[in-house]
Amino acid sequence: MLITITGKAGSGKSTAAKIIAEKLGYEYISIGEMRRKIADQMGLNIIEFNKLGELPENQHEFDLKYEEYQRSLPVDSNIVLESRLGFRCQPNSFKIFLSVDDRVAAQRIFEQSRDTDSYASLEETYETTIRRNNEDIARYQSLYNINYQEPSNFDLFLDTTGKSTDETVDLMINLFNQRQANHE
């Protein structure tokens, strides 16, 4: 069964998704990584890239193309799909949302090394992270009339603040396995 994972910036979704895919022997697909590569090729950071995508003339290239791709994935495939819209594009998947305290998220992001997202200070990271989360909410509300952070959209809504990666992954896999056992 396809697993979709989304969450707030800095919640650990990429790390958890990669580990889950490895532990389950699933393929890992990240829409965010695809988008970051394109942004980098354009000489943009992800926030600038998202702003371009909000223009009506860019909607297909920046959003609908990825939505179509996600919808094309068979729900019975062994894939961990990390994507803001995965839950919407794959409504029958096992849907996970990871939340996190904004200060903890900023610390995690500041300590990472990403070519498309680098910050001079922890405070800049914090402000940018809050702005990005709010812009993401507004973006998907405007484009799709959804709040991608609404807990009722997910099978598991998990706050990763104060949890280790191992704890987060174990909780996610255990609940996924329970659901699999209930559907057999």
Side-chain angles (χ1 to χ4, degrees):
M1 169 181 262
L2 198 142
I3 299 171
T4 58
I5 299 177
T6 190
K8 292 173 69 175
S11 63
K13 61 192 170 299
S14 297
T15 302
K18 289 174 188 173
I19 294 170
I20 289 170
E22 183 180 319
K23 285 187 173 199
L24 296 177
Y26 278 30
E27 179 183 357
Y28 168 71
I29 298 173
S30 171
I31 300 301
E33 282 184 13
M34 290 177 185
R35 293 171 60 87
R36 282 179 195 283
K37 284 180 187 175
I38 293 170
D40 189 44
Q41 291 167 358
M42 295 172 70
L44 304 171
N45 67 37
I46 196 64
I47 294 170
E48 294 164 335
F49 182 79
N50 286 342
K51 285 286 186 200
L52 272 179
E54 292 173 8
L55 300 173
E57 64 269 21
N58 293 335
Q59 186 177 1
H60 185 270
E61 193 63 28
F62 284 72
D63 283 297
L64 297 179
K65 176 171 76 171
Y66 296 103
E67 185 178 347
E68 291 164 7
Y69 170 72
Q70 293 173 74
R71 287 184 191 283
S72 75
L73 300 170
V75 73
D76 61 348
S77 59
N78 293 338
I79 294 173
V80 175
L81 174 64
E82 180 194 348
S83 165
R84 291 279 191 264
L85 293 177
F87 75 94
R88 182 175 183 272
C89 296
Q90 289 288 339
N92 296 317
S93 65
F94 182 70
K95 301 173 292 295
I96 300 170
F97 185 94
L98 299 182
S99 187
V100 66
D101 173 81
D102 291 328
R103 288 277 176 199
V104 172
Q107 184 68 46
R108 290 175 180 175
I109 292 167
F110 185 68
E111 291 172 358
Q112 291 177 344
S113 302
R114 287 185 178 166
D115 294 336
T116 56
D117 306 26
S118 59
Y119 304 100
S121 69
L122 182 57
E123 192 58 33
E124 177 190 4
T125 309
Y126 173 72
E127 291 168 4
T128 303
T129 301
I130 289 176
R131 185 174 64 249
R132 179 173 167 209
N133 283 325
N134 289 335
E135 287 173 355
D136 282 348
I137 290 169
R139 175 185 180 84
Y140 295 114
Q141 184 68 44
S142 171
L143 291 174
Y144 302 101
N145 197 31
I146 60 167
N147 178 351
Y148 88 98
Q149 293 189 15
E150 171 55 45
S152 65
N153 291 323
F154 302 95
D155 299 302
L156 175 60
F157 193 93
L158 181 62
D159 187 340
T160 65
T161 305
K163 288 184 177 52
S164 70
T165 300
D166 289 340
E167 288 174 300
T168 299
V169 168
D170 287 346
L171 285 166
M172 295 162 76
I173 289 176
N174 288 339
L175 192 57
F176 174 70
N177 287 336
Q178 288 174 12
R179 178 166 172 184
Q180 290 290 88
N182 291 339
H183 283 88
E184 291 178 357

